[in-house]
Amino acid sequence: MDIRVSGQQIDVGASLTTHIETALGAMVQKYGVRATGANVTLKPGPHDAGFVCDILMQLTQGLVLKASDRSTHTAQLGFDGAAEKIDKQIRRYKRRLEDHHRLNGVKDIAFDAEYRVLRAADEEVEEAGESADNPLIVAETRVDIPDASVSDAVMMLDLRHTGALMFRNSRTGAYNMVYRREDGHIGWVEPPAA
């Protein structure tokens, strides 16, 4: 996560920057959310009364969390107050996700199959003119395929921190896939109707 700490009309020291980076990193790790970045701005309060801290955190799900706090004592106390508000927002977001899954009855379907590594023999690689540096193809065929709507599948993709997720569409009953594209958007693959 890219954390940028800046000060307006004040100099933010190295120890405060380290405290901010450590606290925000621990918060993201605690809740298991993926954040792309955070901007923390510290500035003097109105009429030189204390400090104001503004935090803007972007999550990979497209959410932007904002919090602001004022402290009459130190800049660190102002940050701690704003960080507590961000923590509360992340906790509420995670609770809503869990409630959404529980209410919609998202279930996992297990498929039994084997695990194989597919690799061509060395002679076949040389005859085909291919480089031996080609990556192995790993077939992970023992997977849990959830039964979910497309929006639920996108949430699971983010929560599981994977690049792609196959799921059974609860509306159509067909197997679909959602994946994270290189541009950061979500792609959805749906087979044609029979």
Side-chain angles (χ1 to χ4, degrees):
M1 175 173 67
D2 180 33
I3 300 173
R4 297 183 184 191
V5 180
S6 60
Q8 292 180 354
Q9 301 174 353
I10 61 171
D11 183 29
V12 180
S15 64
L16 181 57
T17 302
T18 303
H19 171 72
I20 290 170
E21 290 172 349
T22 304
L24 292 179
M27 186 185 311
V28 166
Q29 196 170 32
K30 173 183 169 184
Y31 292 107
V33 295
R34 290 191 301 178
T36 57
N39 293 322
V40 179
T41 307
L42 296 160
K43 56 189 172 189
H47 310 294
D48 294 329
F51 296 92
V52 176
C53 178
D54 297 317
I55 300 176
L56 181 74
M57 182 182 287
Q58 303 90 12
L59 301 181
T60 56
Q61 296 86 349
L63 294 175
V64 177
L65 307 177
K66 297 178 184 179
S68 183
D69 195 59
R70 292 184 182 179
S71 170
T72 56
H73 302 291
T74 65
Q76 183 172 343
L77 289 175
F79 165 75
D80 290 342
E84 189 175 314
K85 293 175 183 177
I86 291 285
D87 184 88
K88 188 175 185 179
Q89 291 175 17
I90 294 174
R91 189 172 55 245
R92 285 181 177 170
Y93 170 70
K94 291 291 283 189
R95 190 177 308 131
R96 268 187 262 150
L97 282 179
E98 291 166 1
D99 291 346
H100 181 74
H101 286 297
R102 191 180 71 247
L103 291 174
N104 288 327
V106 176
K107 335 178 243 267
D108 288 344
I109 303 169
F111 284 91
D112 289 325
E114 32 186 87
Y115 176 84
R116 296 183 184 179
V117 176
L118 308 176
R119 181 178 182 188
D122 291 335
E123 297 97 1
E124 294 175 15
V125 171
E126 291 174 2
E127 289 174 13
E130 297 175 357
S131 165
D133 294 2
N134 288 339
L136 294 175
I137 299 171
V138 179
E140 296 182 40
T141 53
R142 166 105 179 111
V143 294
D144 296 327
I145 299 180
D147 186 19
S149 67
V150 177
S151 61
D152 289 342
V154 171
M155 281 192 272
M156 284 187 269
L157 176 74
D158 289 330
L159 291 174
R160 292 181 181 186
H161 307 296
T162 60
L165 175 75
M166 179 179 257
F167 67 100
R168 186 175 179 153
N169 193 323
S170 59
R171 186 177 56 83
T172 63
Y175 291 100
N176 291 197
M177 184 177 81
V178 290
Y179 63 97
R180 184 164 308 283
R181 297 167 26 136
E182 288 182 12
D183 60 5
H185 294 96
I186 302 293
W188 172 26
V189 178
E190 182 177 28

